[in-house]
Amino acid sequence: MHQFLSRAIHLAYTQLGSVSPNPSVSAIIVKNNKIIAEGVTQPPGSDHAEIAAIKKCTPAQLNGATLYITLEPCCHINKRTPPCTTKIIESKFKEVIVGTIDKNPNVNGKGIEALRAAGIKTILLNDNHTEKLYEFFFHWITIKRPFITIKAALTKNGMMTWGNGKNKKITDKIADKKVHELRKQHDAILVGINTIIKDNPQLTNRSGTGKNPIKIILDGNLKTPLDAKIFNEGKTIIYYMKAGKNRIAELSKKCEVVKVSGSNHQVNLNDVLIDLGKRSISSVLVEGGPTTIASFINQRLANKCIFFIAEKEVNGTSFFSLLEKSLSLKDITAHKCGNSIMIEGYL
């Protein structure tokens, strides 16, 4: 059982970030202890994973087979595609193994109830690995705000930058590859105006697969240069507080500019997250500088931190000195990632 679920989780991760705001689901059909078909969620409006897998089989193959799915099948009609439970029941599966329940209020156990009511043996595993796969979707569908992941590269004494105030590479290409994988998985990437002015980043996904994240810029007074690299590719949204009409008009030709409240040249992060949630952006990777990252942590708006800590030590002010309280993480994992240690934990 576990080998098929592990395979399903792996397949679902390949589409994570590419099918938002839908969750990335994987379905595997097994008969005589062999996989006969696999399916993953297609872009919004297209087939869900269960349907994609079922279409690859004949009725005879489906009759008496076992279906493994990472997420409880949908059972409601408040969407663009028909309920998956209907097709599963019609296919005469002997058994359905579900990785985790769907916390979408429109489902939340009703899909499993529908299958059992139809006489299909349905097992809910409540698997922790599967639930983590849907941490973005579950947060957004219940809280109506995006899941916030903090990402930062640090020296072992907590420095993000050094050398005449300019960024120097802290991590190597192996860590860079992981960062682009994170960009692929998240709907959006967020930085502050200081990062734009100082580094002029592209903020694109260069993993080779998947789409580019939407670029979110916090720019209280609209100082973003018109020739910034963020405008070269993909969608950009700039959140600001106050600016002249001409400046607003100029940047509006390059991207979407959204006015929010704020103070002391800092936009109101709550306003930003509420607006992003309404746009069906379920996850945001915060890659900004020390001030932006500290703001999310201090205001308790971050859900997870991923730190790449390199074996380097330089003089300067530690990022951790910007935090109002000591950083306390739970469910921490750590492993080697190139020349750094990748530490992941939840707030």
Side-chain angles (χ1 to χ4, degrees), residues 95-248:
E95 186 177 33
V96 176
I97 312 296
V98 179
T100 190
I101 199 165
D102 189 345
K103 294 182 181 179
N104 181 345
N106 289 321
V107 186
N108 200 22
K110 299 182 185 72
I112 291 172
E113 288 175 6
L115 297 182
R116 288 174 176 167
I120 299 176
K121 181 181 179 181
T122 306
I123 299 173
L124 174 62
L125 298 179
N126 285 321
D127 177 73
N128 290 334
H129 296 290
T130 316
E131 186 159 344
K132 182 178 179 181
L133 171 65
Y134 299 112
E135 61 187 7
F136 300 165
F137 175 72
F138 287 166
H139 184 85
W140 172 71
I141 203 68
T142 56
I143 307 298
K144 303 304 180 185
R145 294 185 178 200
F147 184 100
I148 301 299
T149 304
I150 300 293
K151 190 248 50 171
L154 304 168
T155 63
K156 65 180 182 180
N157 63 331
M159 287 289 292
M160 285 188 189
T161 61
W162 72 89
N164 299 321
K166 295 183 179 180
N167 276 321
K168 302 292 184 182
K169 285 293 294 180
I170 293 175
T171 54
D172 59 14
K173 291 182 179 180
I174 296 176
D176 286 347
K177 183 178 180 180
K178 180 62 180 178
V179 169
H180 286 287
E181 181 182 330
L182 290 172
R183 289 183 179 182
K184 170 189 172 183
Q185 293 175 348
H186 287 74
D187 292 345
I189 180 171
L190 183 150
V191 300
I193 182 58
N194 289 337
T195 296
I196 297 298
I197 292 174
K198 192 171 170 182
D199 300 340
N200 194 19
Q202 298 180 68
L203 302 181
T204 53
N205 160 33
R206 297 188 288 280
S207 68
T209 60
K211 64 183 181 182
N212 282 319
I214 297 171
K215 287 162 273 191
I216 310 299
I217 314 302
L218 306 182
D219 182 3
N221 302 115
L222 288 186
K223 296 179 180 178
T224 301
L226 295 175
D227 61 351
K229 290 181 180 179
I230 53 170
F231 300 130
N232 293 346
E233 185 178 357
K235 181 177 180 179
T236 299
I237 305 173
I238 298 179
Y239 289 93
Y240 76 103
M241 297 179 336
K242 186 178 180 181
K245 291 183 179 180
N246 290 340
R247 188 61 177 159
I248 294 171

Side-chain angles (χ1 to χ4, degrees), residues 233-284:
E233 185 178 357
K235 181 177 180 179
T236 299
I237 305 173
I238 298 179
Y239 289 93
Y240 76 103
M241 297 179 336
K242 186 178 180 181
K245 291 183 179 180
N246 290 340
R247 188 61 177 159
I248 294 171
E250 288 176 334
L251 278 171
S252 294
K253 294 176 182 179
K254 295 280 189 176
C255 67
E256 185 173 358
V257 294
V258 180
K259 187 175 183 179
V260 292
S261 64
S263 60
N264 299 322
H265 305 289
Q266 300 293 319
V267 301
N268 186 308
L269 296 182
N270 277 298
D271 285 359
V272 172
L273 297 186
I274 290 171
D275 184 69
L276 292 175
K278 290 177 180 177
R279 295 170 183 268
S280 297
I281 293 175
S282 64
S283 59
V284 176

Side-chain angles (χ1 to χ4, degrees), residues 55-68:
K55 284 183 175 180
K56 296 176 182 179
C57 299
T58 66
Q61 287 176 313
L62 294 171
N63 192 350
T66 297
L67 175 66
Y68 288 81

Side-chain angles (χ1 to χ4, degrees), residues 75-89:
C75 55
H76 59 100
I77 58 174
N78 186 26
K79 54 190 181 65
R80 285 179 282 187
T81 54
C84 289
T85 49
T86 301
K87 192 65 176 178
I88 293 171
I89 293 167

Side-chain angles (χ1 to χ4, degrees), residues 286-336:
V286 177
E287 279 198 39
T291 302
T292 298
I293 289 176
S295 295
F296 274 93
I297 294 175
N298 289 335
Q299 295 180 43
R300 298 185 178 183
L301 296 174
N303 302 102
K304 179 166 68 173
C305 290
I306 299 177
F307 295 124
F308 295 86
I309 301 179
E311 189 63 29
K312 297 178 182 179
E313 189 168 346
V314 294
N315 296 326
T317 303
S318 168
F319 152 72
F320 296 106
S321 67
L322 299 175
L323 302 182
E324 295 173 357
K325 296 180 180 180
S326 59
L327 186 61
S328 178
L329 300 177
K330 61 182 179 180
D331 300 328
I332 297 173
T333 59
H335 65 268
K336 185 75 171 166

